[in-house]
Amino acid sequence: MNRAKFLGFILLVSFLLAAGGKNPYQLITRQQELDEILREVEIFARHQLGLIVNKKVCGRLVSDKTLDSLYQGPFRGTETGLYCREKDRHILYIMKGQTRDKTGGITAHEYTHAWQEESCPPGQDLVLREGFAEWVKYKYYDYIGAYQLMRYMR
């Protein structure tokens, strides 16, 4: 291995160690990867923000076409996540193919809607609900060190 490749390897290892051993640019394409991210988001929400969801929260990794078929609102075609309540559980539909960090932010946003469903009065203003979910996503990005994604939100 020549010197340039070795230094590149050392830089990559340092980067991965700084990111907790996880590549923030990894594209999330498997359900197991989303399940791991959802667990991380639940821990963050509970311990950093005190957001506790009592009912079961399930994440579903779906294609953009599936997401479009589930969402019939005014922003159809632009969404990357969707929250739905089904009987005794919350379902978070997350579009596959996003980076690990971005998927975490989308999951944090949708997880916030599950918390709001259990903890906030019904009929709450849409701007308030979405604004708070975006704030939680911003705080999650800060927590994981995704500062570039934080800048995009400003």
Side-chain angles (χ1 to χ4, degrees):
M1 181 181 295
N2 68 30
R3 181 174 168 80
K5 283 185 181 179
F6 178 74
L7 290 175
F9 174 75
I10 295 298
L11 188 62
L12 175 63
V13 169
S14 299
F15 170 77
L16 291 176
L17 288 173
K22 298 174 177 119
N23 180 356
Y25 302 108
Q26 169 195 359
L27 297 182
I28 303 303
T29 58
R30 295 186 349 237
Q31 182 63 44
Q32 179 182 357
E33 295 164 334
L34 178 62
D35 294 342
E36 180 181 325
I37 291 169
L38 178 56
R39 281 191 303 277
E40 292 169 6
V41 166
E42 288 174 319
I43 291 167
F44 159 77
R46 176 181 292 265
H47 295 290
Q48 298 298 313
L49 303 176
L51 305 181
I52 299 168
V53 176
N54 296 309
K55 293 181 182 172
K56 182 170 177 58
V57 178
C58 303
R60 300 280 186 264
L61 198 60
V62 297
S63 70
D64 56 344
K65 290 184 183 1
T66 300
L67 205 52
D68 281 348
S69 71
L70 293 167
Y71 179 73
Q72 301 300 317
F75 303 108
R76 190 166 182 254
T78 63
E79 71 286 339
T80 53
L82 179 68
Y83 163 77
C84 294
R85 183 188 64 204
E86 289 183 6
K87 297 180 185 175
D88 61 342
R89 62 185 176 161
H90 305 282
I91 309 293
L92 314 182
Y93 294 97
I94 309 295
M95 187 169 74
K96 65 176 149 184
Q98 304 291 317
T99 64
R100 183 179 223 311
D101 282 358
K102 189 164 185 185
T103 299
I106 296 165
T107 304
H109 177 106
E110 300 306 334
Y111 184 86
T112 303
H113 291 313
W115 176 82
Q116 289 169 325
E117 181 71 27
E118 291 185 9
S119 305
C120 298
Q124 194 176 45
D125 183 67
L126 178 65
V127 173
L128 183 59
R129 291 178 74 85
E130 289 300 321
F132 184 69
E134 283 293 286
W135 178 81
V136 170
K137 178 164 104 175
Y138 186 85
K139 297 301 279 182
Y140 177 77
Y141 285 155
D142 185 37
Y143 177 73
I144 63 171
Y147 303 116
Q148 188 68 32
L149 289 172
M150 288 173 69
R151 270 187 241 126
Y152 290 143
M153 293 183 69
R154 290 186 191 158

